[in-house]
Amino acid sequence: MDLSTEYLGLTLRNPLVASASPLSQTVDGVRRLADAGVGAVVLYSLFEEQLRQQAALDAELAEAGAEQFAEALSYFPDEAEEEPGPRAYVSLLERAVAAVDVPVIGSLNGVTPGGWTDYARAMQDAGAAAIELNIYYLPGDTHVSGRDVEQRHLDVLARVKDAVTVPVAVKLAPYFSSTGEMALRLDEAGADGLVLFNRFLQPDIDAETLTMVSGVSLSSPAEARLPRTWIALLRGRVRASLAATTGVETSADVIKYLVAGADVVMTASALLRHGPEHAAVLLDGMSEWMQRKGYATVDDLRGILAVPADADGDAHERAGYVGALRNANSSAYGPA
Ligand SMILES: Cc1cc2nc3c(=O)[nH]c(=O)nc-3n(C[C@H](O)[C@H](O)[C@H](O)COP(=O)(O)O)c2cc1C
């Protein structure tokens, strides 16, 4: 059986990719993911603000050190002068690339134009097979227009594409007035891949303590429906690779994304919940399904349930909506 897959111009041994999560914060973690069989690993994101905070702290420490421990400080002047944050990430990336035989993709969440480009270049130099731009931007300023938000995405992509030669994927949110047009514009601007979708951390409220509760919650398979709908619509309409992320718990979830048209299927929550070795369970389940259904390659099944590229996407969505309401009226509710 041939599970090999093309993603961002890279050849992967299979379409299951470990998406950015704390599981890739160590070389050992990356090795466990690769040993469990994933086709590629996206490292956790490097966040520019964290680096800046760290740099400020280090500068303060270096200053204090200069007064109190002038002699000791002379032993490590470089450390006191340079930002250590990117070096830690770059070092992890270099070691991870050397440790595993699957592509390792760097993930970047920048703030400033210089941050996006400098860190992207550093990741490329460290051996990243590609760079994923984690554009986590929720426009809290209520005066920012939708077109400005879109332009921000395009500007970041253009800058990074100018700075590196490795493929660049954009991980974006589903919250655009016209997500499809945004995808098309990113495609035209040279995105090598679209990762659908970023999952925003939405704080909750504790009604007893009347406090805001923030924290990361793991996903559930029902959340896969939105990204899957968009993947089915975008298949054949963009040149960029399509990566699905959100809601993969079982091998059936992987298959559903592939038949919708995903080039690769990413997973984080399931691997956090069950351990990196769960990747092998997902891959075994996928192979077993392919055998049972008579598919010899992933290419044979990819996109078989995508919206045909020449179909009217609006009409397709409307027909699905009306059909779903008709079913609901006859009390035929599907599973969550
Ligand atoms: C604990 C945790 C940490 C994450 N860290 C990152 C990150 O650093 N960068 C990023 O782009 N996505 C990050 N994500 C998002 C995941 O990569 C993934 O896109 C999202 O969780 C949806 O996929 P899932 O349903 O398989 O979890 C994180 C998710 C979780 C649960």
Side-chain angles (χ1 to χ4, degrees), residues 101-143:
D101 57 2
V102 295
V104 180
I105 298 172
S107 168
L108 175 57
N109 183 302
V111 180
T112 62
W116 283 106
T117 51
D118 292 352
Y119 298 136
R121 214 177 285 118
M123 287 184 191
Q124 167 172 287
D125 293 346
I131 291 165
E132 187 174 289
L133 304 177
N134 170 13
I135 308 189
Y136 190 103
Y137 176 55
L138 201 66
D141 177 349
T142 49
H143 296 99

Side-chain angles (χ1 to χ4, degrees), residues 30-310:
V30 174
R31 205 181 280 120
R32 277 179 72 187
L33 291 163
D35 288 348
V38 297
V41 176
V42 184
L43 281 200
Y44 76 99
S45 296
L46 183 154
F47 286 90
E48 190 178 344
E49 296 99 316
Q50 279 177 359
L51 299 184
R52 299 211 175 277
Q53 280 164 9
Q54 183 67 44
L57 190 68
D58 286 352
E60 271 175 37
L61 286 175
E63 211 165 286
E67 285 158 15
Q68 293 159 26
F69 311 111
E71 196 182 334
L73 194 68
S74 66
Y75 290 117
F76 47 94
D78 289 350
E79 270 79 357
E81 282 165 21
E82 284 181 39
E83 278 184 319
R87 263 189 287 138
Y89 191 93
V90 162
S91 158
L92 170 70
L93 186 51
E94 270 170 355
R95 286 175 293 127
V97 168
V100 298
D101 57 2
V102 295
V104 180
I105 298 172
S107 168
L108 175 57
N109 183 302
V111 180
T112 62
W116 283 106
T117 51
D118 292 352
Y119 298 136
R121 214 177 285 118
M123 287 184 191
Q124 167 172 287
D125 293 346
I131 291 165
E132 187 174 289
L133 304 177
N134 170 13
I135 308 189
Y136 190 103
Y137 176 55
L138 201 66
D141 177 349
T142 49
H143 296 99
V144 173
S145 76
R147 223 46 181 171
D148 283 349
V149 174
E150 292 169 11
Q151 195 55 48
R152 229 176 139 117
H153 284 68
L154 293 164
D155 289 347
V156 167
L157 173 65
R159 281 204 189 92
V160 175
K161 282 292 288 180
D162 272 352
V164 298
T165 53
V166 290
V168 178
V170 179
K171 187 172 187 178
L172 66 156
Y175 310 119
F176 294 95
S177 295
S178 181
T179 305
E181 197 231 9
M182 181 76 252
L184 256 55
R185 290 176 80 198
L186 288 166
D187 187 48
E188 278 160 20
D192 299 281
L194 300 173
V195 184
L196 310 175
F197 287 113
N198 223 335
R199 199 165 163 260
F200 284 127
L201 304 180
Q202 300 166 5
D204 204 353
I205 287 176
D206 184 323
E208 285 309 313
T209 58
L210 285 178
T211 50
M212 299 296 293
V213 183
S214 59
V216 183
S217 60
L218 300 181
S219 68
S220 67
E223 293 175 61
R225 290 179 173 214
L226 181 67
R228 202 161 54 232
T229 301
W230 279 109
I231 282 178
L233 262 170
L234 290 172
R235 176 93 204 155
R237 289 181 165 84
V238 289
R239 178 205 43 82
S241 302
L242 294 173
T245 173
T246 299
V248 167
E249 175 66 15
T250 66
S251 55
D253 299 319
V254 179
I255 291 158
K256 290 197 283 186
Y257 267 134
L258 291 171
V259 296
D263 291 292
V264 294
V265 180
M266 298 188 168
T267 171
S269 290
L271 303 184
L272 285 162
R273 207 176 266 131
H274 307 291
E277 293 68 30
H278 187 63
V281 176
L282 297 176
L283 287 164
D284 287 349
M286 193 181 133
S287 298
E288 184 275 322
W289 181 90
M290 284 172 65
Q291 202 147 23
R292 194 157 40 85
K293 297 283 184 186
Y295 290 106
T297 73
V298 175
D299 284 346
D300 291 344
L301 64 97
R302 183 177 286 109
I304 55 174
L305 292 184
V307 179
D310 55 359

